[in-house]
Amino acid sequence: MATPNLFLIYVTDVEHSTRFYADLFEMEPVTITPRYVPFEVAPGVLFALWSGRSDTVTTATPRTSELGLMLPGSASGVDDCFAAWTAKGATVIEEPHEDVFGRTFVVADPDGNLIRVSPID
């Protein structure tokens, strides 16, 4: 059976979002095109920015899914990540708190896409 290996995030400004994610995740994209920018997050697995539907996807579009980053280690690692990302100017949606994920927080990218950080299950 096939497993998902491409995760698309709709953005309205690919160039701005590329800088945001490259800085936030401290990684470089595989390639850069005017409407599609993939980042390899594991061998054969891509997280990509896509503006191919920018005529229908706007910053006013409600974002109901989340991109997740699960960190190894203790809750203090989540707090350290929060401090680093807020220093980079990430928009805070939820401050660090305890939830079913353990210690967690949520920030948003420039288009309002949500990014949750939590410890590895």
Side-chain angles (χ1 to χ4, degrees):
M1 174 171 273
T3 56
N5 59 3
L6 175 61
F7 302 90
L8 294 171
I9 302 295
Y10 287 96
V11 298
T12 55
D13 183 334
V14 171
E15 187 177 316
H16 184 246
S17 293
T18 298
R19 286 191 307 271
F20 173 84
Y21 280 103
D23 182 47
L24 194 70
F25 293 140
E26 298 177 357
M27 62 189 303
E28 293 300 317
V30 173
T31 190
I32 297 175
T33 71
R35 296 178 15 203
Y36 174 78
V37 178
F39 293 83
E40 187 172 41
V41 295
V45 180
L46 298 175
F47 151 73
L49 308 176
W50 168 243
S51 71
R53 296 290 312 268
S54 61
D55 58 326
T56 59
V57 178
T58 68
T59 55
T61 302
R63 305 305 196 227
T64 57
S65 62
E66 298 177 349
L67 174 67
L69 174 64
M70 296 192 309
L71 299 174
S74 66
S76 65
V78 172
D79 290 335
D80 293 344
C81 183
F82 179 79
W85 285 11
T86 55
K88 292 179 180 188
T91 301
V92 176
I93 303 301
E94 292 181 3
E95 300 260 343
H97 63 283
E98 296 297 323
D99 210 324
V100 297
F101 310 98
R103 188 80 173 154
T104 188
F105 70 88
V106 178
V107 298
D109 77 2
D111 285 285
N113 294 299
L114 303 177
I115 306 163
R116 177 176 299 278
V117 175
S118 63
I120 291 175
D121 287 341

